[in-house]
Amino acid sequence: MSGGSRLRQVLESGAFAVTCEIGPPKGALVNTLREKARLVRDYVHAANVTDCQTAVVHLSSIAAAVHLQSEGVEAVAQMTCRDRNRIAIQSDLLGAYSLGIGNLLCLTGDHQRFGNHPQAKNVFDLDSIQLVDMVRGMQDEGLFQCGEPIRAGAPQFFLGAVANPFADPFEFRVLRLEKKVNAGARFIQTQSVFDLERFRRFMEMVRARGLHHRCYILPGVSPVRSIRAVEYIRDRVPGLTIPDQIVERMRAATDPAREGVEIALELIAGLREIEGVAGVHIMAIAWEQVIPELVQRAGLGSKL
Amino acid sequence: MIVAEQKSFKEIVEYLRGKYDLLIVPCMSCTAVCFAGGVQQGEELASALRIHCKMHGDGLNCTVRPVTRQCDPEFIEELTGEVAQADSILSLACGVGVQFLAERYPDKAVIPALNTSFAGGKTAPGIWEERCSLCGNCVLHVTGGICPITRCAKGLLNGPCGGSEQGRCEIDPNLPCAWQLIINRMNGLGRLEELLAFQCPKDWSTGNAGGLRRLVREDLRLK
Amino acid sequence: MAKQYPLKIIAFTCYNCAYAAADLAGSMRLSYHPAVSIVGIPCTGAVEPAVILNAFEQGIDGVFVAGCLDGECHYKTGNLHARERVRQLRGDLERIGLEPERLEMFQLSAAMGSRFAELVNEFVERIYTLGPSPVRPGLDCGGRKK
């Protein structure tokens, strides 16, 4: 038995947590993955490793998490419902925990239509909320989903889920977050925040239902380095919008990468002021190199 | 009803290679209603095949003989005479009808002329849409009469995924987000808070994951 | 006019427009090609694809459907349905192996007598250029060669 979560300790201590996202490689070579791990090691409390994000085949999240941890970076393994049924998910989670992974993020998963195997048959045996509930049941009650006891050691993950405050219907987003918290999610990482105003309104509703006392909320921040990246996110990523003001700033910038960092810093500063925000989750898509600078300049300091 | 679509003519011709006496069997139930496998479509297909054969010098004799319901043994029994004259059967029924014909007439080649698409209905003239996944365990009472298993691309039971934008599904902007529809409906009914209730993992064993399904009604069986 | 094969052409014409136009052409003593047999129908929307295919099966060399102008259909949209069916049938003919040009949709008003005569002659000319239908009754397919 292994596992354990420093991320949990950080959040429970009341410190402002920093997590980031690292995409596993589209192949079996892990030197770049390990390089990225070394790059962020002293700047984040934990790093998420995605589970075939956008339904494109990548090295598995659990394997990548093990590589990260061997480089001294605490990993947050991700598990989606798209590719595995409840049997495979439980089995893989036992495996992940046995390999020392202590944090787990549960997601529904992007539809295969977006990926490189659109002909695939999806699974979606469970949805993300059922997945959270199943893992909570394994941990708290020591039961497999079917109700049979786990006799050879139940996992104990620090259990998380995601929220997208920018998808519709807006009013239901908080109810859905509440369902995830009720199901057992202890921390929530959100979709990238570009629209602070909308996120503030979301957090108002979160606080009105007292959810910020029941889970740790880590809004996502994505530094963008070109106007093309901004337009791609605005136009192509479902359930995500970017205010015109940010688009304009990126378009007018002589050094868009610098401007992208400045915008991200402003967003982080804005997010820190919101009651109920427990940390940030930096998703620097294919731009992990910027994470150390971002963390230092945001005054989040190096690792505790 | 079962909604189906005719296979391409080229594909059908390919399957009929080496056949001489063809019995074309339209079905006058679901596939006729969706203009895929009715008498008219059978006649059109027969004409097209005859023209094709006359031009290519193949000898193919096509007879059209519709059946009221190909998923019913009593009706396909009526075909016995015509089937005896044919070496192959082109069925314009859904996959059920094709299989019933194949079971009843095991010494004949039974060829499907249609692709069976889904269980749905007509939403406008010329447009059919899926409504039921035949999961065998209906949840419509909790989702305001809108099926998330069928109409949500991910079959989610606890609310919309993060890809719902302005009421549209992330996988196709032409598709409404099923959960937006459900939320609107439940909101209208003043029952939105009910959607906060956790829907536990579905028992898929009543669906096709459980293998061949069979329904037995003792009160209707011949004793 | 090109060489005179003994062509057979069928025109499915709507009583409310093209059929009356054909009548008018006659009253105006405009001559058009006699290869065309005119079939009057209450609305082009009533012409079933199977009937057109059956004509080709019988070895007819060309078929045209002549209905009302857009917005003039007495049954609102029968002409539009017919036009779409003809469009699809032309695709079908191509897949079967027949020239799609052997099938056409025209839209006319009852007042267009001379236009009707022109269209007929143009269509006949087109079919002459294509030559007789490759589907001749002589090539009958009688099933298994017993």
Side-chain angles (χ1 to χ4, degrees), chain C residues 80-131:
Chain C
L80 306 183
H81 287 296
R83 190 165 70 195
E84 178 58 25
R85 276 178 206 142
V86 166
R87 195 188 66 75
Q88 289 188 9
L89 272 170
R90 283 171 63 117
D92 291 344
L93 290 183
E94 196 163 19
R95 282 182 280 277
I96 294 166
L98 264 182
E99 300 93 338
E101 294 79 15
R102 292 185 185 277
L103 177 61
E104 194 56 82
M105 172 86 193
F106 296 126
Q107 288 177 268
L108 294 162
S109 80
M112 295 161 83
S114 56
R115 181 70 188 133
F116 181 83
E118 265 171 45
L119 286 174
V120 167
N121 288 333
E122 281 167 23
F123 190 71
V124 170
E125 188 68 23
R126 179 201 292 187
I127 302 300
Y128 269 126
T129 312
L130 288 171

Side-chain angles (χ1 to χ4, degrees), chain C:
Chain C
M1 195 153 280
K3 281 195 291 292
Q4 306 288 301
Y5 303 105
L7 288 190
K8 275 192 181 153
I9 292 171
I10 297 187
F12 292 102
T13 57
C14 165
Y15 285 133
N16 298 299
C17 53
Y19 189 84
D23 212 19
L24 180 60
S27 315
M28 292 164 77
R29 304 195 174 277
L30 294 169
S31 70
Y32 52 83
H33 202 279
V36 177
S37 307
I38 292 180
V39 179
I41 42 168
C43 176
T44 49
V47 182
E48 287 179 13
V51 174
I52 294 175
L53 283 170
N54 192 261
F56 283 112
E57 188 191 328
Q58 306 297 324
I60 229 76
D61 302 297
V63 173
F64 71 82
V65 179
C68 299
L69 298 169
D70 281 16
E72 300 291 319
C73 175
H74 286 49
Y75 302 94
K76 290 191 175 171
T77 55
N79 53 347
L80 306 183
H81 287 296
R83 190 165 70 195
E84 178 58 25
R85 276 178 206 142
V86 166
R87 195 188 66 75
Q88 289 188 9
L89 272 170
R90 283 171 63 117
D92 291 344
L93 290 183
E94 196 163 19
R95 282 182 280 277
I96 294 166
L98 264 182
E99 300 93 338
E101 294 79 15
R102 292 185 185 277
L103 177 61
E104 194 56 82
M105 172 86 193
F106 296 126
Q107 288 177 268
L108 294 162
S109 80
M112 295 161 83
S114 56
R115 181 70 188 133
F116 181 83
E118 265 171 45
L119 286 174
V120 167
N121 288 333
E122 281 167 23
F123 190 71
V124 170
E125 188 68 23
R126 179 201 292 187
I127 302 300
Y128 269 126
T129 312
L130 288 171
S133 166
V135 185
R136 307 307 288 183
L139 277 173
D140 201 13
C141 53
R144 189 189 299 273
K145 304 286 183 284
K146 282 162 188 156

Side-chain angles (χ1 to χ4, degrees), chain B residues 127-146:
Chain B
I127 301 175
W128 289 267
E129 239 179 54
E130 187 173 14
R131 283 293 181 272
C132 180
S133 299
L134 313 177
C135 75
N137 194 358
C138 194
V139 298
L140 286 169
H141 56 292
V142 289
T143 56
I146 294 159

Side-chain angles (χ1 to χ4, degrees), chain A residues 178-194:
Chain A
E178 184 164 344
K179 289 183 86 161
K180 291 191 175 184
V181 174
N182 289 346
R186 301 290 322 284
F187 71 95
I188 300 290
Q189 292 170 321
T190 80
Q191 180 58 283
S192 302
V193 176
F194 289 100

Side-chain angles (χ1 to χ4, degrees), chain A residues 86 108-109 111 113-114 124-127 129-130 133 164 167-169 172-173 175-176 179 209 238-240, chain B residues 153-154 156-166 170-171 180 183 193 195-202 204:
Chain A
R86 60 192 82 178
T108 301
H111 196 274
R113 171 80 56 96
F114 297 107
F124 296 119
D125 176 21
L126 306 175
D127 63 29
I129 295 172
Q130 293 163 345
D133 182 72
N164 184 358
D168 295 317
F172 195 77
R173 290 293 147 189
L175 290 186
R176 184 158 161 86
K179 289 183 86 161
R209 297 186 80 94
L240 192 51
Chain B
K154 299 175 183 174
L156 305 182
L157 285 167
N158 278 291
C161 77
S164 176
E165 207 172 307
Q166 292 174 354
E170 65 173 18
I171 76 155
Q180 176 80 59
I183 288 163
E193 285 285 319
L195 294 180
L196 198 53
F198 174 64
Q199 296 301 322
C200 61
K202 192 168 166 63
W204 295 108

